[in-house]
Amino acid sequence: MPPRTNDHAPESGRDTGPAEPAGLSAPSASTGAGAPPGPMNARPGTGDRTGARTDTGSGPTTRTRAGAGTGTGSRTGAGTRARAETRAGVKTETGAGAGTKTETETETGTRARARTRARARARARAEAIVRPGPGAEVTGPGPGASPSGVRTASLRRFAATARHSRGAHLTVCGALLAVAMTAGAVAGGGDRGGSPAGAGAGTDAAPAAGALAAGVLAGGDLDAGIRALQSHLRAQPRDVRAWANLGLAYVEQARTDGDPSRYPQAERAFDRSLALGSGNEQALAGRAALAAARHDFPGALKYADRALEQNPYSERALSSRIDALVELGRYDEAAEAADTADDRRPGVPVFTRYAYVRELRGDVRTAREVLERALDGASGPADMAYVATALGQLAWNQGDHETALTHFARALAADEEYLPALEGRARAQAASGDLAGAIGTLEQVVVRSPLPGPLVALGELYEARGADGDRTKAADQYALVDAHAALARAGGVNADLDTALAAADHGDPEAALRAARAEWDRRHSVHTADALAWALHRNGRSEEALPHARRATATGYRSAVFLHHRGMIERATGRDGDARRSLTAALELNPGFSLLGAREARAALEDLEAAR
């Protein structure tokens, strides 16, 4: 399974200030092999996402924390303690002249005309952001067509073109695809990103931005919420907070639709908010979330730090800061940031990040217990689906496929359309021998959200099945990865890691190496180390690859994929004993980590044993 990110964490629109200390300390965690346990700080509870909604780090307006302290150093001691924290009446923040004054009808003269012109210019700028841009006037599907169907059809047309048009035509196709996907979202989603029906309604029809924030980003009808924000901003184009909320909603929409073409709209909305209210925390935190979604992790860290200067308790900024440090490979700093976030703003977005930081350092037990307590305290379907999926992914990584299926089932009981849970269930089904079920589930996923991870996984399942036409079907999935990468880049997303991993196994090894080197130049995480090692190996440069493969496994992170890659590289460099140990460890940890990869690992072990 690909690395867990917080791209599917529940999202909300609130960060109003410091929260009263709440929750429960994490269980004691071992600080090393054989070391005595020490107190930890994570306090599971509920929050309200980035499904990784884009994991921008915001929690729900209501947070409940329940459970009993069980580990050494538990801050709350034994017993059960619960607190519901409800924030209502979101304060509407507006910049100077943000439309809060009403001009008298009798005002005449130069000042009145100047103000009229200023308002017209502001509304024009608003329209430029909330309406679709040039190129969106493409004929869409008929009534009732789904945006996901339009996007997938566009991707498949592009993939077919890409297979016959490598090189110079690829860039042109990528640009056309970006336009087609944006147009498809508009045609299939009721002018999403543009004006809603009845946009000519007067000011009285536009709800206040503060009243919209929670509904737009906390599990309501996102498309309707965006249209309401757009309507509000046409009437009040200088509302600082509303622009920030609209930017966050676009980030969320990009995540739920798998459509990076929304990111430029989000960027313009945040820029407008910052132009109206320089340094406002909500827009800065939103820019941090947007940068993280685009894999610009230095930028995410910069904006998160700026937001935290304004509000040290901003859950979104605290969470984005952890994400940035993790993805940059700065794990000690990420652990400190997770402790700080847990102290200041306990909730599901922070708890899941805290657990992932522990998992990356090899402390699976603490990661599991933190997530279990978070799930016990979850109060809504979004939280339950998100945390149960994280538990399923953790179990799957450790090869416990039955437990993983149980967690994914619980996530889907809370939200039957939660894509990360569907993807996880498919991988666990494949590992458990249910190949037909796994293919059927992944086909549902890629139709709705054709992202690189599930596309590659589905292609490999077709290859493993080997029925008539499956090889062509697999090639189609791999070509779609190129299509999505082109779309992602058009939306300002750095797609080099996805490109490197997919191309190394199913594409052009030289392109994989170029992408992996570019990503390594930007950040030194365990996942980029593994991608670079594997790309080097696929290009016949295994000696150069070995230090990176060792670095990928140096933090204690338990990944069968990393161990498989390291074992194959060790075998290629003549280190047969090391290769046997690494490949055996991979298969013992998670024998179903990849049907094709596990098959390769077993074959390599048989050859190594035969050569002894």
Side-chain angles (χ1 to χ4, degrees), residues 13-204:
R14 67 105 177 94
D15 268 325
T16 56
E20 174 188 342
L24 193 64
S25 68
S28 305
S30 178
T31 56
M40 301 307 300
N41 295 333
R43 294 185 297 259
T46 64
D48 174 81
R49 188 195 152 89
T50 328
R53 286 156 222 226
T54 295
D55 209 330
T56 56
S58 130
T61 54
T62 300
R63 189 169 60 237
T64 303
R65 131 193 88 113
T70 58
T72 304
S74 171
R75 293 181 183 175
T76 59
T80 301
R81 184 176 162 216
R83 174 174 61 84
E85 182 181 10
T86 305
R87 302 185 185 275
V90 180
K91 179 182 178 182
T92 302
E93 297 178 4
T94 57
T100 57
K101 294 181 180 180
T102 303
E103 314 279 10
T104 65
E105 293 182 1
T106 59
E107 185 175 40
T108 58
T110 303
R111 288 181 59 195
R113 288 192 297 273
R115 290 180 183 181
T116 299
R117 287 194 297 269
R119 284 196 296 271
R121 287 194 299 270
R123 287 193 175 90
R125 287 194 295 269
E127 293 293 324
I129 299 176
V130 302
R131 289 187 183 276
E137 295 77 22
V138 178
T139 301
S146 69
S148 61
V150 175
R151 284 190 301 277
T152 304
S154 298
L155 279 168
R156 294 191 184 282
R157 286 194 298 273
F158 171 73
T161 304
R163 284 197 300 274
H164 299 92
S165 309
R166 298 290 179 182
H169 290 182
L170 192 60
T171 302
V172 175
C173 291
L176 293 174
L177 174 66
V179 172
M181 299 241 330
T182 301
V186 171
D191 197 17
R192 298 165 65 179
S195 58
T203 303
D204 292 342

Side-chain angles (χ1 to χ4, degrees), residues 130 136 154 199 215 259 262 267 296 354 366 368 394 401 403 431-432 453 455 484 506 549 554 573:
V130 302
S154 298
D259 182 1
R262 293 297 174 197
E267 183 174 13
D296 173 16
Y354 185 99
T366 296
R368 182 185 302 112
L394 182 65
H401 305 139
T403 298
S432 302
L455 286 169
H484 191 275
H506 306 293
T573 58

Side-chain angles (χ1 to χ4, degrees), residues 8 29 64 95 98 121-122 139 156 195 200 237 244 274 287 317 349 369 387 454 486 527 531 560 590:
H8 293 84
T64 303
R121 287 194 299 270
T139 301
R156 294 191 184 282
S195 58
L274 289 167
R287 285 300 301 261
E369 292 183 0
V387 181
H527 294 98
N590 185 2

Side-chain angles (χ1 to χ4, degrees), residues 68 194 209 239 257 382 397 423 451 472 497 514 520 537 543:
D239 188 331
D257 291 351
N397 279 345
E423 180 183 348
L451 298 174
T472 298
L497 183 58
R514 286 193 299 271
W520 183 252
H537 169 69
E543 284 290 351

Side-chain angles (χ1 to χ4, degrees), residues 131 142 188 191 292 408 450 461 488 492 503 526 554 573 609:
R131 289 187 183 276
D191 197 17
F408 293 133
L461 290 183
V526 293
T573 58
E609 289 301 320

Side-chain angles (χ1 to χ4, degrees), residues 286-586:
R287 285 300 301 261
L290 173 61
R294 284 173 151 175
H295 298 177
D296 173 16
F297 298 109
L301 185 60
K302 177 185 73 175
Y303 283 112
D305 284 340
R306 287 180 59 188
L308 291 169
E309 289 175 1
Q310 304 298 319
N311 176 12
Y313 295 89
S314 167
E315 187 177 59
R316 185 172 291 110
L318 288 166
S319 297
S320 293
R321 190 170 194 275
I322 300 170
D323 289 345
L325 291 168
V326 164
E327 297 298 336
L328 290 169
R330 293 159 59 174
Y331 298 119
D332 289 343
E333 293 174 77
E336 292 177 5
D339 287 340
T340 298
D342 175 59
D343 287 337
R344 295 180 183 175
R345 209 60 186 259
V348 160
V350 171
F351 300 148
T352 50
R353 287 168 170 83
Y354 185 99
Y356 188 47
V357 169
R358 299 307 305 179
E359 183 187 357
L360 285 170
R361 294 158 73 94
D363 188 359
V364 173
R365 180 175 66 85
T366 296
R368 182 185 302 112
E369 292 183 0
V370 168
L371 290 173
E372 286 172 348
R373 295 189 187 184
L375 185 59
D376 288 342
S379 61
D383 283 348
M384 292 184 67
Y386 179 42
V387 181
T389 297
L391 277 164
Q393 291 171 331
L394 182 65
W396 186 89
N397 279 345
Q398 310 313 309
D400 189 351
H401 305 139
E402 183 176 348
T403 298
L405 284 169
T406 299
H407 287 307
F408 293 133
R410 185 168 183 178
L412 292 168
D415 181 353
E416 64 182 6
E417 297 186 348
Y418 191 53
L419 292 181
L422 284 170
E423 180 183 348
R425 184 177 73 178
R427 294 176 186 274
Q429 286 173 321
S432 302
D434 182 7
L435 188 57
I439 289 175
T441 303
L442 270 181
E443 286 174 340
Q444 295 177 47
V445 172
V446 300
V447 164
R448 292 166 53 196
S449 184
L451 298 174
L455 286 169
V456 170
L458 180 57
E460 291 186 349
L461 290 183
Y462 285 139
E463 285 195 58
R465 185 173 65 179
D468 288 345
D470 274 352
R471 185 171 295 277
T472 298
K473 289 181 180 179
D476 285 344
Q477 307 313 307
Y478 304 144
L480 286 171
V481 175
D482 290 341
H484 191 275
L487 174 66
R489 292 189 181 98
V493 180
N494 166 25
D496 280 334
L497 183 58
D498 290 333
T499 299
L501 291 169
D505 282 324
H506 306 293
D508 179 356
E510 292 183 359
L513 183 54
R514 286 193 299 271
R517 286 197 184 281
E519 194 65 18
W520 183 252
D521 288 342
R522 284 187 286 268
R523 55 191 177 115
H524 290 179
S525 71
V526 293
H527 294 98
T528 51
D530 171 70
L532 179 55
W534 197 235
L536 285 165
H537 169 69
R538 289 296 198 185
N539 280 272
R541 301 166 67 170
S542 298
E543 284 290 351
E544 189 179 348
L546 186 57
H548 296 288
R550 289 171 173 165
R551 180 163 182 165
T553 56
T555 67
Y557 180 49
R558 291 165 56 81
S559 167
V561 173
F562 289 8
L563 289 167
H564 164 235
H565 289 170
R566 176 171 173 167
M568 296 303 295
I569 291 168
E570 288 167 336
R571 181 191 180 203
T573 58
R575 295 167 172 82
D576 290 356
D578 291 341
R580 278 192 294 271
R581 284 188 288 274
S582 295
L583 293 171
T584 299

